[in-house]
Amino acid sequence: MSVMDMNRLVANFLRHEGYLDSLVSFQECAMLPGGGEEQWSSSESEEKRSAIRQLIIQGNMDKAEEAIRERFPSLLESKRRAKAFINGQKFIEMLLAERQEDAIMFARENLAKVLHESSTDVHMADCPEEKQGRPPTSEIVSYLEEVIGLLAYEDPANSPLSHLLSSEHRKKVADVVNTAILEHENVGSRSELEVLLKQLVACQDTLRRMKGSRGPKFVLEEAIRR
């Protein structure tokens, strides 16, 4: 694979994930078409998607939700996983701002309802007709149970659930929402780079099985660090 092809994959990833500012800088440095004087231009939808990502990473969940409802009105009703992660992060931001009473009220009025609905779906999942079109409800239940569990600790920042308060978790929520928007817009939820890496892992696993599962298993993260 040529350097230009690799650069195009990186550019596609940045665009797909909504890192538009990074994309412009990368295109200029990599001298890709669209950089420099012929500036790459984004669509209104891509700009809004990028803005929503930034709001979530900044912890401004109220404005993020407002932007989602304004630009993608039906998304939160059709993408329950994204809705659960947004509500969960709103609750977390209240705890970070030391708004304990607001957080408890929000949990009672919003999170408990979503948790109950998702728990009901998990119990119905044994019925094949109930599985079709359903979100990964078990993940939603586990996530919301963890989020609400923060209330059990006097100092959540030093608890086993402290990872939920990190900037990395904000990025995870932003990724969930970004994927939901892409699916809502009928755009592939995976970038070309992600698809290529998944194919690489699958091929390596197949080759290992053909050799009788001998030798170390291929781990992408370790291969990247080499």
Side-chain angles (χ1 to χ4, degrees):
M1 180 180 291
S2 68
V3 173
M4 182 62 73
D5 287 336
M6 293 178 64
N7 287 342
R8 288 183 186 279
L9 283 173
V10 173
N12 173 266
F13 171 80
L14 293 172
R15 181 173 186 171
H16 187 275
E17 296 301 315
Y19 295 109
L20 300 189
D21 291 341
S22 298
L23 172 59
V24 172
S25 298
F26 178 77
Q27 285 185 308
E28 292 175 349
C29 293
M31 294 184 291
L32 288 172
E37 294 181 0
E38 295 182 2
Q39 191 71 27
W40 169 84
S41 60
S42 59
S43 67
E44 179 186 352
S45 177
E46 287 172 334
E47 290 179 354
K48 182 61 71 172
R49 182 159 55 86
S50 178
I52 290 169
R53 172 181 283 280
Q54 291 305 313
L55 287 170
I56 294 173
I57 290 176
Q58 294 164 8
N60 197 336
M61 297 309 298
D62 288 335
K63 285 193 175 180
E65 183 176 3
E66 180 182 339
I68 292 170
R69 294 190 180 281
E70 176 186 340
R71 182 62 182 81
F72 312 101
S74 61
L75 184 139
L76 295 182
E77 281 60 48
S78 61
K79 301 295 181 181
R80 290 170 55 189
R81 180 171 181 253
K83 183 177 182 179
F85 272 76
I86 286 174
N87 282 334
Q89 191 62 34
K90 288 179 74 172
F91 172 84
I92 290 168
E93 297 299 339
M94 292 177 191
L95 291 181
L96 288 170
E98 299 183 354
R99 295 164 51 197
Q100 189 86 358
E101 292 185 4
D102 290 340
I104 293 173
M105 184 68 69
F106 183 82
R108 287 175 178 170
E109 295 180 353
N110 295 277
L111 300 188
K113 180 181 178 182
V114 177
L115 183 58
H116 174 73
E117 292 174 350
S118 298
S119 298
T120 301
D121 283 347
V122 169
H123 293 315
M124 296 174 66
D126 290 335
C127 302
E129 62 273 16
E130 292 295 336
K131 292 182 180 181
Q132 298 180 4
R134 292 284 184 177
T137 50
S138 59
E139 180 195 4
I140 293 174
V141 170
S142 297
Y143 171 66
L144 292 180
E145 285 178 343
E146 270 201 333
V147 168
I148 295 174
L150 287 166
L151 289 173
Y153 299 95
E154 185 175 346
D155 184 9
N158 291 311
S159 74
L161 300 177
S162 60
H163 63 278
L164 295 172
L165 308 178
S166 67
S167 58
E168 287 302 313
H169 186 263
R170 283 178 176 172
K171 292 178 182 178
K172 178 180 179 178
V173 175
D175 287 342
V176 169
V177 173
N178 184 69
T179 298
I181 294 174
L182 290 169
E183 292 174 345
H184 185 74
E185 296 283 276
N186 295 317
V187 179
S189 60
R190 294 175 180 171
S191 67
E192 294 175 3
L193 179 60
E194 184 180 358
V195 171
L196 187 62
L197 291 175
K198 285 183 177 294
Q199 290 175 345
L200 172 62
V201 173
C203 288
Q204 291 293 332
D205 287 344
T206 299
L207 288 172
R208 185 171 180 271
R209 286 197 300 271
M210 291 173 65
K211 296 177 181 179
S213 297
R214 293 189 298 271
K217 186 174 182 179
F218 179 79
V219 180
L220 181 61
E221 291 79 4
E222 293 178 0
I224 291 174
R225 287 197 294 267
R226 291 173 190 167

